[in-house]
Amino acid sequence: MSGPTKSARELWGGHFATDAAPLMERINASVGFDKRLWAEDLRGSRAHARMLADRGIVSAADRDAILAGLDAIAREIEEGRFVFDPKLEDIHLNIEARLTERIGEAGRRLHTARSRNDQVATDMRLWVRGAIDRAEALLRALQAVLIDKAERHAADVMPGFTHLQAAQPVTLGHHLLAYVEMFGRDRDRFASARRRSNECPLGAAALAGTSFPIDREATARELGFDRPMANSIDAVSDRDFALDYLSAAAICAVHLSRLAEELVLWATPQFGFVVLPEAFTSGSSIMPQKRNPDAAELVRGKSGRVIGHLVALLTVLKGLPLAYSKDMQEDKEGLFDAADTLELCLAATAAMLDGARFDLARLRAAAGLGHTTATDLADWLVRVKGVPFREAHGIAARAVRRAEERGCQLDELEDAELAAIDPRLEPAVREVLGVDRSVASRTSLGGTAPVRVREAVAAARARFLGEGGS
C-alpha cells in the first residue's frame, strides 16, 4: 500500500521553524471527514489542469501527466489502497502530495493559479449539488408512494382533525395528498437552492483572484456550473449554498417528522388507523404483545439532527469577517450528516408507507365520532333555509349539545328533537349528516370530495411525476 508521506508544513510551511503541536494536528486535520470530497476534488483538478494547459500556463505534457496521475489516484481510492494521512490535514493536500509522489515535478504545477480556498469551495458546491439531486430523487419516490395510496383511498372516509380533535370528515386520499404537496414544495426548495449554488468559485484563488491568464468560464462550463462566481472574495468566504441545502433539508425533515408522528399515533390500538409493516417495527424485550413503530419514531427523532446542523452552521458563519477563516472547516461534518440522515429518512418513510395497511372500517367508524358533521348542519341551514351563518352556527351547536346529553351522534337525534332545537331543522337535514354525504359535498377546488381527490391525484401525477400530463 502506498500513499503520501510528507507533512503539510513541508508542502506549504517553508517559513515555519517548528513542527505543529500534536494537539494542533488533531484540531486542524479534516481529512477524516472531508475525504468524502475526493471525487469532487479530482473532478475540479482535472478541469483546472485542462484549463491551465489550454491557456499555456502549463505544458500539454504536464497536463497529460497530471490527468493520468489523478486517474490512478481515483483507482487507488476506489480500491481502498489510498492512505489518507491526517498529517496532510485535508483531502486536497493528500491528493496533491500523492500526485507529486507519482508523477514528480508536474504534480507541483497543478496548484498554479488556485488556492485551497477556491478549491474547497468548488468541491463543496459540487458535493451539495449531488446531495440535492439525491434528495430530489428520493422525494419524488416518496411522492409516488403517497399518490398511489391517495388514489386507492380517494373515497375512503376518515376523521379530519384540528387541535387533534375530530373536526370534519375527510377522505384518506385527501389527507395523504396534503403531504404530497408539502414534499412538492420541498423539491422546489431544493431546486431553488441548486440554481443559486450553481456558480463556480474556481479561479478566485485565496480571495483576490490571480495574475495568471486563466479562463474561469472554461472551468465553470466543464464542471457543469452556469457561470463563474462574480466576486472572488464572495466565492471563497460564504457558505450560503450549504445553508440553502440545510434549510431545505430541515424543512423537509419537519414534514417527514409530522408524517411520522401521525403514523406513530395511528398505529396505536387507541387509534387503530394503520398497521405498519413488520419489517419497520420492533418488539419489546418484556412485553410480547408490542409492535413498536420504531422506524417512524426514528424519522421523527432524526429531524432534530438535521435542524441542529442548520443552526450550527448559521452560528459558525454569523460572526466571520471576510474572507476565509478556518472556522469554515466546520461546515462539512454537519452537512454530511444532515444529508445522510435526510436520505435515510426519505427512503425509510417511502418503504414504510408502501407496506402500510390502513384499517378502513376503523377510519370510517371514527369519521363520525365527535359530531364531525355539525358544520354540514349549519351549512344546510344557510344554503336551504337562508339562515345567516352565525345564527346557523349557534343552532348547530345546540344540536351538538343535545346529542352529547343523549350520548348519541347527530344523525341519531329524533326528528322531534331537531325540530325542538329549531323548527327549520326539518327531516331533510339528515341528507347532510352522514360522513359520505359530508365529504361528497366538499367540491370546492382543493376540497375533500372524492371527485376532487381523483382530479388532484391526476394533477399530482402530472406535476410531480411527469405522468399523464399534456
Side-chain angles (χ1 to χ4, degrees), residues 70-326:
L70 293 174
D71 288 345
I73 289 171
R75 288 192 296 272
E76 287 182 2
I77 296 174
E78 289 168 348
E79 295 167 5
R81 295 184 290 111
F82 189 93
V83 177
F84 294 98
D85 188 350
K87 291 184 180 298
L88 290 167
E89 295 185 6
D90 55 34
I91 185 62
H92 322 295
L93 288 185
N94 268 263
I95 288 176
E96 182 181 338
R98 180 61 179 143
L99 180 66
T100 301
E101 183 181 14
R102 288 189 67 95
I103 69 172
E105 192 66 21
R108 297 180 183 275
R109 301 188 194 281
L110 175 59
H111 208 55
T112 306
R114 78 174 180 184
S115 161
R116 281 189 294 174
N117 293 355
D118 62 334
Q119 189 177 357
V120 69
T122 302
D123 293 357
M124 287 288 286
R125 283 177 181 263
L126 288 170
W127 193 91
V128 166
R129 197 170 69 188
I132 288 172
D133 292 345
R134 292 192 300 275
E136 148 70 21
L138 288 164
L139 276 164
R140 185 186 185 280
L142 175 54
Q143 285 181 300
V145 172
L146 285 163
I147 290 169
D148 285 345
K149 294 279 188 184
E151 184 170 37
R152 191 173 308 133
H153 300 296
D156 292 318
V157 294
M158 65 169 286
F161 297 95
T162 62
H163 307 277
L164 205 55
Q165 301 294 310
Q168 291 178 317
V170 296
T171 69
L172 177 56
H174 191 57
H175 190 102
L176 296 175
L177 284 177
Y179 285 105
V180 172
E181 295 296 325
M182 293 181 206
F183 294 131
R185 291 191 296 276
D186 290 329
R187 287 176 65 182
D188 187 64
R189 272 183 281 273
F190 279 118
S192 178
R194 194 188 197 285
R195 184 176 64 253
R196 281 191 297 274
S197 71
N198 208 36
E199 296 183 342
C200 186
L202 196 58
L207 78 159
T210 178
S211 59
F212 290 95
I214 62 173
D215 184 349
R216 294 190 63 210
E217 295 280 356
T219 49
R221 187 166 52 249
E222 179 172 341
L223 293 172
F225 289 105
D226 294 331
R227 64 191 68 84
M229 294 189 72
N231 183 281
S232 61
I233 295 176
D234 175 50
V236 301
S237 66
D238 206 353
R239 293 294 184 268
D240 57 354
F241 64 93
L243 291 174
D244 260 353
Y245 173 86
L246 288 170
S247 178
I251 295 171
C252 182
V254 168
H255 289 154
L256 288 170
S257 182
R258 296 184 73 182
L259 175 53
E261 166 67 2
E262 292 202 316
L263 293 175
V264 170
L265 286 173
W266 291 2
T268 62
Q270 288 72 25
F271 274 81
F273 291 175
V274 69
V275 177
L276 297 176
E278 287 188 5
F280 290 91
T281 61
S282 69
S284 166
S285 62
I286 189 172
M287 295 168 284
Q289 84 281 7
K290 296 291 292 298
R291 279 183 60 181
N292 298 323
D294 284 7
E297 290 173 351
L298 287 166
V299 168
R300 184 179 60 187
K302 287 178 183 295
S303 64
R305 289 173 66 159
V306 181
I307 296 165
H309 292 316
L310 169 61
V311 174
L313 185 55
L314 285 166
T315 306
V316 166
L317 294 174
K318 71 175 182 61
L320 294 186
L322 300 180
Y324 182 85
S325 296
K326 196 71 173 200

